[in-house]
Amino acid sequence: MDRAGLVEYVRTQADGVLSTLGPDGSPQAAYLPITATDRGDLVLDVRTTSRKVANLRRDPRVAVVVGGRDGTTLQCEGVADLPDGADRDACARAYLDAFPQFEASLADPGVVLVRVRLTWARLGDYRPGVSSSQDVDLRVGIRRVRADDWRSARALRLDALRDEDAGIAFLETYERAAAEPDVFYQGRTARAADGDDVAQFVAIDGSDWVGSVTVITQRAGSVDYHGRPVERSRAAVVGVFVRGEHRGSGLVDRLLETGAQWAHDLGFDLLTLGVHRDNARAQGAYRRAGFAPSGVTFESTIGPELEMVRHLRPGVQRDTSDISPPVVG
Ligand SMILES: CC(C)(COP(=O)(O)OP(=O)(O)OC[C@H]1O[C@@H](n2cnc3c(N)ncnc32)[C@H](O)[C@@H]1OP(=O)(O)O)[C@@H](O)C(=O)NCCC(=O)NCCS
């Protein structure tokens, strides 16, 4: 089960037991209606005067069990908070979608929403004839774009081009990309969604697009996107971007690994990229993903760049045990 499956499970079950830690560290449990946001945070509402709220303010660690009546159950552990601003709005939306009958309660100043960000979850299925349990994969999901994703692809691209490092990261400018008509993004996303020439892989946190990597195949005898002749067939990584709040999380490694796997499956043994000489952070991420400078340097529209390469045979040689396979289609 992944996060999307967890969200569906929690919304279907709609109740569970929340366990908090009392003042002397002893557990205290309460049975409550529970739902989940699109990104898989649990949401409950509680009275501000309750023991739960005092406990959470002192120690935010919680355990929650969702479901149980039908023989299936989701055991969860996480960290709770009392969200405000846009975070509260997202939780309130999820809560009202699930429990419209509690609208008045949400408007009551004596009631607060609790959000639980999960650190671990396990689904158990103990219905007659079944006995299984599986840990839920709580990581951000990665998949290839679909043609109808073009609006989200456009929005992520424009945000990337407004990044403070965009000037040493992308050949395209924000102004130029923002002026492109919808049909440009429809065509670009459709090409990246299907076929063996180009693939865009995106990381999606709930409904938020938070990262992207595009892989372009370059056949010997063609010219690359810098206008340089391609001597040996290879795949090239472009458009690498991870939103600020997901940087340093290892997400870029998973995106690059997904792209490398795609190129490898097409039979390419060489993955290359160009990176600005001063983009130390990107170079660090690429080195960690198995890329090394080839020794080739060149001047592009953004300034001095160096080429980095990664060899993909035999197999994709890095440890991929913690990488989810790309969901293509
Ligand atoms: C490039 C990018 C995708 C990397 O993802 P990330 O999650 O930020 O990468 P990490 O935090 O894992 O950092 C990569 C490495 O650089 C190091 N690093 C972090 N900040 C750094 C900085 N300011 N200067 C130098 N190195 C830095 C990290 O410690 C890490 O090295 P480590 O593996 O030894 O720990 C992301 O920063 C990004 O989207 N940047 C803007 C767009 C961009 O530059 N794209 C690349 C175009 S070629």
Side-chain angles (χ1 to χ4, degrees):
M1 178 184 265
D2 62 8
R3 273 212 248 173
L6 177 142
V7 169
E8 195 185 327
Y9 181 85
V10 174
R11 288 178 178 170
T12 306
Q13 297 287 330
D15 60 5
V17 175
L18 168 75
S19 186
T20 56
L21 295 168
D24 64 355
S26 54
Q28 297 178 352
Y31 173 72
L32 296 156
I34 295 177
T35 192
T37 62
D38 287 345
R39 70 174 300 278
D41 298 330
L42 304 184
V43 185
L44 348 120
D45 84 346
V46 295
R47 296 216 71 83
T48 46
T49 51
S50 65
R51 296 192 308 173
K52 294 178 277 301
V53 169
N55 289 349
L56 295 176
R57 288 192 200 278
R58 200 173 38 247
D59 188 335
R61 291 172 303 161
V62 299
V64 184
V65 173
V66 179
R69 276 180 314 244
D70 63 357
T72 68
T73 177
L74 186 73
Q75 294 170 262
C76 306
E77 292 170 10
V79 178
D81 67 356
L82 310 177
D84 52 24
D87 289 340
R88 187 193 180 277
D89 293 346
C91 290
R93 265 195 311 277
Y95 200 75
L96 287 176
D97 277 351
F99 309 116
Q101 68 273 30
F102 296 150
E103 190 170 2
S105 145
L106 273 201
D108 179 342
V111 170
V112 279
L113 281 172
V114 173
R115 168 177 67 175
V116 178
R117 279 182 280 194
L118 298 180
T119 52
W120 177 86
R122 176 176 289 164
L123 179 74
D125 188 341
Y126 306 109
R127 288 173 294 184
V130 195
S131 180
S132 72
S133 71
Q134 52 164 311
D135 286 1
V136 180
D137 184 353
L138 292 173
R139 296 175 307 170
V140 169
I142 293 177
R143 66 164 172 81
R144 192 171 177 177
V145 287
R146 294 188 280 258
D148 64 359
D149 282 330
W150 65 271
R151 283 190 186 81
S152 300
R154 176 182 191 273
L156 186 70
R157 180 66 177 168
L158 293 182
D159 284 352
L161 295 173
R162 269 180 297 205
D163 190 272
E164 61 177 342
D165 286 332
I168 53 166
F170 308 114
L171 301 177
E172 207 173 20
T173 63
Y174 172 80
E175 289 68 28
R176 198 175 131 197
E180 296 286 3
D182 290 353
V183 69
F184 172 84
Y185 290 97
Q186 287 160 351
R188 182 193 259 188
T189 310
R191 282 191 298 280
D194 196 31
D196 296 348
D197 291 338
V198 52
Q200 180 179 7
F201 298 98
V202 287
I204 304 176
D205 186 11
S207 49
D208 298 335
W209 283 40
V210 297
S212 180
V213 158
T214 298
V215 183
I216 300 175
T217 60
Q218 299 176 331
R219 310 277 168 187
S222 64
V223 287
D224 70 12
Y225 51 89
H226 292 293
R228 298 177 307 161
V230 176
E231 278 156 24
R232 180 177 161 200
S233 290
R234 63 196 186 189
V237 173
V238 297
V240 178
F241 176 66
V242 170
R243 279 195 197 278
E245 65 277 21
H246 286 269
R247 290 190 189 161
S249 70
L251 183 58
V252 67
D253 305 59
R254 294 175 56 218
L255 281 163
L256 289 168
E257 204 55 42
T258 305
Q261 188 70 54
W262 180 80
H264 176 260
D265 290 348
L266 287 175
F268 289 92
D269 59 4
L270 192 64
L271 196 56
T272 77
L273 55 84
V275 56
H276 194 284
R277 189 187 56 194
D278 300 334
N279 198 342
R281 184 163 194 159
Q283 288 173 31
Y286 298 147
R287 252 192 300 275
R288 206 176 53 221
F291 289 85
S294 68
V296 173
T297 57
F298 60 97
E299 199 71 26
S300 81
T301 52
I302 58 169
E305 292 206 49
L306 55 109
E307 183 185 73
M308 295 182 85
V309 299
R310 178 176 157 189
H311 296 277
L312 297 178
R313 275 192 204 282
V316 174
Q317 70 274 56
R318 296 190 67 246
D319 175 15
T320 56
S321 56
D322 64 341
I323 308 292
S324 3
V327 181
V328 178

